[in-house]
Amino acid sequence: MRGVSRVPAYVVMQPTTLCNLDCVYCYLPLRAQDRRMPVEVARAVAADANLWAARERFSVVWHGGEPLAAGREHLAALMAPFDPGVEQHVQTNATLLDDAWCEFFAARRVRVSVSVDGPGDLNGQRISRAGRPAYDRIVRGIAALRRHGQPFAALCVVGDPRPGVASRLYEYFLELGCDTLGINIEEREGVNERPNSHDPDAVRAFWAELVAAWRADPRIHVRELEWSLRYVGAVLDGTSGDLLPRELDPIPTVGHDGAVVLLSPELAGFHDPVHGDFSSGNVLRTPLSRLLAEPGRTSWVPEFLSGVEACRDTCPYFGFCGGGHAANRYFEHGRFDGTETEHCRNSKINLLEGVLDHVRLAGTSG
C-alpha cells in the first residue's frame, strides 16, 4: 500500500454545516452555522461519480453537520444528479427523523446510519443547543425507521472504554435492531481537545468483552471485530499481505462550498499556518477526478505519506491498520509525519490485542 489512488470507493458530501445538536465531543467547527451546499457542487461531483459507479461499486455519504437539517427538498435536489447506480448513504443523529423522512429514504434507497452511544445514561454527551439530553428524540427517530422497516446501521462513540461497558452496549444494540455497528473510541480532533488517553489494559478488556458478547449472539455485523478477525485469519493463512489495498483510498470530502479535502473528513473547515485550509481545490473550478490525479499538489499529503512509511518501518501493527489516519496525527502531534497516536493505541493496537486476548482465553477454556 503506497501512494493515493486516483479512484475513490466513496465520496463524503456536506449538504450543510449546521447541526441541531451540540455534542460535547464533536469535532466540527461550523456546526452552529447553516451553510448549505449549492446544487452546482453536487452536479460537479456527480459528473465523475456516475462514471465511477458505472465501472464498480461507488457510494456517496451525506455527512454534515446534520444532513437532515438541510431539509428534504434541498437534499433531494443534491441527490438528483447522481445516477441510480450510485449508492446513497446518510449519517444522521436521528432527532429529525419522522415518517416523511423514512418515505424519502425508501423512495431513493438511501442507506441510513444513526449516531447513538448506547442506553440513555451513556448518551449524556449528546445534547441539544440548550444543553438538554437528546436521547429521547434519537429513540423516537429510530422508532420511525423500525416502523417503516428501514434497515439501519449504528455508530457509537465510547468515551470510557472499560470492562462492563462493552457487554451493555452490545445488548443494547441487539435490542435496538441495527444490522451493523461501528464503535469509535472518542478521538481528540478538530475542536474537541479533550484528552483521549486510557489505561491500555482497560481498553483491551473492553474489546475482549465485546468479542465475547458478539460471539454469544452474532446477529450484528460489528465493524471493528470483523476487521480484526479477518486480519487474524489472514495471518494464520499466510495471506495477510493481501489485505491492505495497493494504494490509499483518497476519501474525498466535498465541503458545502465545493472545497475538497483528501484522506480525512475531520480536516475540512480547519486552517494551518503552513498548509492553509488543507483543500486540494474546488470542484466548481476543477473536476474531482483531476484533483485526485495530483494528490501531492497539497503540501500536507506528502508529509502524511512519509508518516505512513515511518509506520511501515517501525510498527508491528502496520499490516492491520495501514498507517493510521491523517487527522489523528495532525490533531494529536501538530503534524502529519508523526507515528503512533492515542487513536492508534485505543482503536487499533488495543483492539487487536483485545481480540487476541479473547481468542487465547477461548482456546484455553475450550
Side-chain angles (χ1 to χ4, degrees):
M1 186 181 72
R2 298 179 189 275
V4 181
S5 174
R6 294 186 174 199
V7 179
Y10 63 98
V11 60
V12 179
M13 303 277 284
Q14 187 180 53
T16 177
T17 57
L18 179 67
C19 186
N20 59 320
L21 296 187
D22 194 21
C23 301
V24 175
Y25 51 66
C26 185
Y27 63 87
L28 293 166
L30 302 174
R31 63 185 186 271
Q33 302 176 32
D34 187 7
R35 301 186 183 182
R36 298 192 182 188
M37 175 179 284
V39 174
E40 289 75 18
V41 171
R43 290 196 190 108
V45 174
D48 284 309
N50 292 337
L51 295 176
W52 292 326
R55 294 194 293 264
E56 55 190 311
R57 184 177 181 181
F58 187 82
S59 303
V60 172
V61 180
W62 301 97
H63 193 302
E66 166 52 46
L68 275 58
R72 279 186 296 279
E73 183 176 344
H74 189 60
L75 194 56
L78 293 175
M79 290 180 171
F82 295 94
D83 288 346
V86 177
E87 296 182 13
Q88 304 269 3
H89 298 248
V90 64
Q91 184 68 44
T92 176
N93 62 36
T95 60
L96 300 176
L97 275 173
D98 56 15
D99 292 333
W101 272 113
C102 291
E103 292 166 3
F104 176 96
F105 295 143
R108 293 163 178 79
R109 296 184 298 173
V110 177
R111 176 69 176 168
V112 179
S113 179
V114 173
S115 299
V116 56
D117 299 339
D121 62 301
L122 297 180
N123 268 267
Q125 303 193 73
R126 299 187 62 73
I127 56 176
S128 70
R129 298 213 158 270
R132 298 189 183 93
Y135 182 69
D136 289 346
R137 295 166 62 197
I138 295 170
V139 171
R140 282 199 298 272
I142 293 171
L145 292 173
R146 297 186 65 171
R147 195 164 56 245
H148 284 261
Q150 170 78 49
F152 66 97
L155 186 62
C156 171
V157 175
V158 178
D160 184 17
R162 54 182 169 79
V165 173
S167 57
R168 281 193 68 206
L169 285 174
Y170 191 74
E171 290 170 9
Y172 172 83
F173 286 106
L174 271 179
E175 190 151 331
L176 193 68
C178 61
D179 54 24
T180 303
L181 173 62
I183 299 287
N184 287 351
I185 294 180
E186 183 179 339
E187 302 168 46
R188 180 182 175 185
E189 58 189 5
V191 297
N192 178 23
E193 298 182 349
R194 304 192 321 165
N196 62 331
S197 177
H198 302 284
D199 173 37
D201 291 336
V203 179
R204 284 176 64 162
F206 168 87
W207 290 117
E209 182 179 284
L210 186 63
V211 184
W214 172 78
R215 286 191 67 199
D217 191 355
R219 283 181 285 150
I220 299 177
H221 294 285
V222 182
R223 182 184 62 184
E224 288 73 20
L225 301 189
E226 292 189 357
W227 290 346
S228 304
L229 294 171
R230 188 181 302 122
Y231 176 72
V232 171
V235 169
L236 294 175
D237 291 342
T239 59
S240 60
D242 299 330
L243 284 181
L244 293 177
R246 291 189 175 185
E247 298 172 302
L248 287 166
D249 192 309
I251 315 176
T253 294
V254 182
H256 68 96
D257 58 354
V260 177
V261 173
L262 303 183
L263 298 166
S264 281
E266 299 84 0
L267 292 170
F270 289 91
H271 188 278
D272 180 83
V274 175
H275 301 299
D277 65 1
F278 302 113
S279 75
S280 296
N282 192 297
V283 296
L284 293 177
R285 294 187 289 274
T286 308
L288 182 58
S289 55
R290 192 185 305 171
L291 294 177
L292 297 181
E294 302 175 18
R297 65 189 287 173
T298 306
S299 61
W300 68 266
V301 173
E303 185 179 301
F304 168 67
L305 293 177
S306 69
V308 172
E309 292 306 309
C311 286
R312 187 195 307 275
D313 293 340
T314 61
C315 182
Y317 299 90
F318 182 83
F320 174 54
C321 84
H325 302 293
N328 296 116
R329 295 171 188 262
Y330 179 76
F331 288 114
E332 289 194 33
H333 295 319
R335 53 185 302 113
F336 292 98
D337 54 3
T339 52
E340 191 173 306
T341 62
E342 292 293 349
H343 174 69
C344 291
R345 287 185 275 273
N346 292 332
S347 299
K348 302 295 182 180
I349 295 172
N350 289 319
L351 163 61
L352 186 58
E353 291 297 336
V355 170
L356 292 174
D357 287 346
H358 171 80
V359 171
R360 295 184 192 106
L361 181 61
T364 57
S365 61

